[in-house]
Amino acid sequence: MPAGFADTPPPPYYAVIFTSQRNGEDDAGYAAMAAAMVKLAAGQPGALGIESTRGANGLGITVAYFTDEASIRAWKANVEHLAAQKLGKQRWYAHYHLRVAKVEREYSGPDGR
Amino acid sequence: MPAGFADTPPPPYYAVIFTSQRNGEDDAGYAAMAAAMVKLAAGQPGALGIESTRGANGLGITVAYFTDEASIRAWKANVEHLAAQKLGKQRWYAHYHLRVAKVEREYSGPDGR
């Protein structure tokens, strides 16, 4: 699987789509926390992978994949993650929108990998 | 709704999560087509909005929201979109992964907008 892509199993599984707008403040603090959270998320029960990117305008989309809803709720309640969520609201995000969705089908390309 | 965020209705609705890695070639041609496709997608039956970003490393995530699966299949089969898909495979993408998912719940912040 190429770098940046989540190597997920055949559906069904769940996706947490997190769209966020950075406020342009504290880039270093944000980057450190984001890296720590990606690493922590990867080790959670039910975690299947993560895809994340952010443009020069500060708009970012992160999609984290999990086996089931219970795993998503457990990750949201993780103590270190709760601290990060609080800082995100206070310091780093101008706006965010989170959606939980059940992946039903998928395909890849151009070569079907 | 802040710029870059899709103003979607209460769930359920569908998300098409398109993760892609640009190959670094033909930036101008790609940018023109991407802009045309975002505009065209917005006018499709069942289209609810789109969120899209790409980082400096060429990894991009676009999430297009639709009312239902039939609308997604109709958009995939749109003649102009089919031509764009073909060019994407031939010229612009090193890799891509597309997932269709049903959004079940959501929230936003920091202020609940």
Side-chain angles (χ1 to χ4, degrees):
Chain A
M1 184 64 60
F5 290 84
D7 192 11
T8 46
Y13 54 86
Y14 276 82
V16 181
I17 306 164
F18 182 70
T19 306
S20 64
Q21 177 66 54
R22 285 274 289 121
N23 59 9
E25 294 171 29
D26 187 25
D27 276 345
Y30 174 76
M33 182 64 89
M37 286 303 112
V38 165
K39 193 172 176 181
L40 186 63
Q44 295 302 299
L48 296 174
I50 194 163
E51 296 173 342
S52 186
T53 191
R54 187 174 301 279
N57 63 356
L59 186 75
I61 301 176
T62 295
V63 190
Y65 301 100
F66 290 89
T67 52
D68 59 281
E69 261 275 22
S71 299
I72 294 169
R73 293 184 187 275
W75 166 234
K76 185 171 195 289
N78 174 284
V79 171
E80 289 169 81
H81 188 203
L82 284 173
Q85 290 169 49
K86 188 172 179 181
L87 287 170
K89 290 180 188 181
Q90 291 175 342
R91 291 191 196 171
W92 296 320
Y93 294 126
H95 190 64
Y96 60 82
H97 199 121
L98 184 146
R99 296 172 173 96
V100 175
K102 186 177 187 177
V103 178
E104 297 182 347
R105 60 185 179 89
E106 64 181 341
Y107 58 87
S108 61
D111 51 3
R113 278 180 297 180
Chain B
M1 185 64 58
F5 290 83
D7 192 11
T8 46
Y13 54 86
Y14 276 82
V16 181
I17 307 164
F18 182 70
T19 306
S20 64
Q21 177 65 54
R22 284 276 288 119
N23 59 9
E25 294 171 29
D26 187 24
D27 275 346
Y30 174 76
M33 182 64 89
M37 286 302 113
V38 165
K39 192 172 178 181
L40 186 63
Q44 295 302 300
L48 296 174
I50 195 163
E51 296 173 342
S52 187
T53 190
R54 188 174 301 279
N57 64 355
L59 186 76
I61 301 176
T62 295
V63 190
Y65 301 99
F66 290 89
T67 52
D68 58 281
E69 261 274 21
S71 299
I72 294 170
R73 293 184 186 278
W75 167 233
K76 185 171 195 290
N78 175 283
V79 171
E80 291 170 80
H81 188 204
L82 284 173
Q85 290 169 50
K86 189 173 178 180
L87 287 171
K89 291 180 188 181
Q90 292 175 340
R91 290 190 197 172
W92 295 321
Y93 294 127
H95 190 63
Y96 60 82
H97 200 120
L98 184 147
R99 295 173 174 95
V100 176
K102 186 176 187 178
V103 178
E104 298 182 347
R105 60 186 179 88
E106 65 183 339
Y107 56 87
S108 60
D111 50 3
R113 278 180 296 180

